[in-house]
Amino acid sequence: IQGGDGGGPGLAPQGLSDITRAATEEMAVSVTFDGGYDADEAEAILDALKERGIRTTFFLTGIFIKRHPDMVRRIAVDGHEVGNHTMNHPHLTDYADTRSHKRLSWVDKGFLRGEITGAADAFKEATGAEMAPLWRAPFGEVNMEIIGWAREAGYLHIGWTADTQSRQTLDTLDWVADKSSRLYRSPSEIKERLFNFGRHSNGLRGGIILMHLHTERKTDKLSSILGDVLDGLSEKGYRFVKVSELIQQDERLKNLTAGMESQLTGR
């Protein structure tokens, strides 16, 4: 859950956390990509990353893996880190209806473990490798109870960075296709938001950016300016890292990553 300081990870009781940002003085940032169902943007995204020698973190569902095994194998071969996005991309809380995060009645520990295990098994079958011990809840629907269940299964929850005070977010909203929606952002607007994030404070340091491998947009796709975004941030001095590397720079998270170092550094 996002911390009240509008930037740091929201550390919860008993060491459970929704990690949304790492505290670091380095000019390091993670550009993460979610793959739920389709992969129409994946090839262009992977090409842009490979051209620049960037290795980052992808969160994939089991459905995505089974639909696009060749693409998933390329993600792994290109050296990217792959985290868990559940098997079927289900809603876990009632946020869509109530704007709260009360767990849905059918979601229990067994249900969540099945979703996580299903995706991990699909990835192992497709690539022969293990997923990183990181996961991201579909739709960002999560609460401390659910985070705790996943932690028991060996997974840390990774959200994305938002500053509640300035109302800035590193959710690019690249998936919004309806230009009449208040959530719609053109590629140039997305670029501007990323470049200006935290400009009066700590910038993008330790930030986690959210992008997607699919869009229903016919034009104005994020992939059309992804290269410009990566190049522009590089020119500003930012270094792109995997989420596992980012969070290990934060001394406050040592208690969360204790015992997971070999899994995190082995990717």
Side-chain angles (χ1 to χ4, degrees), residues 139-157:
F139 312 104
E141 295 178 356
V142 76
N143 59 34
M144 285 298 125
E145 183 179 35
I146 295 170
I147 286 171
W149 291 340
R151 186 71 181 92
E152 290 176 13
Y155 285 82
L156 294 177
H157 188 262

Side-chain angles (χ1 to χ4, degrees), residues 5 7-11 19-28 161 202 204-208 243 245-254:
D5 62 359
L11 299 182
I19 300 172
T20 59
R21 191 171 193 172
T24 177
E25 290 305 311
E26 290 192 27
M27 297 281 283
T161 303
N202 210 31
L204 290 172
R205 285 181 179 86
I208 300 172
V243 166
E245 180 180 343
L246 190 71
I247 64 178
Q248 288 182 91
Q249 295 179 18
D250 190 334
E251 291 296 324
R252 300 175 304 169
L253 300 178
K254 293 296 185 184

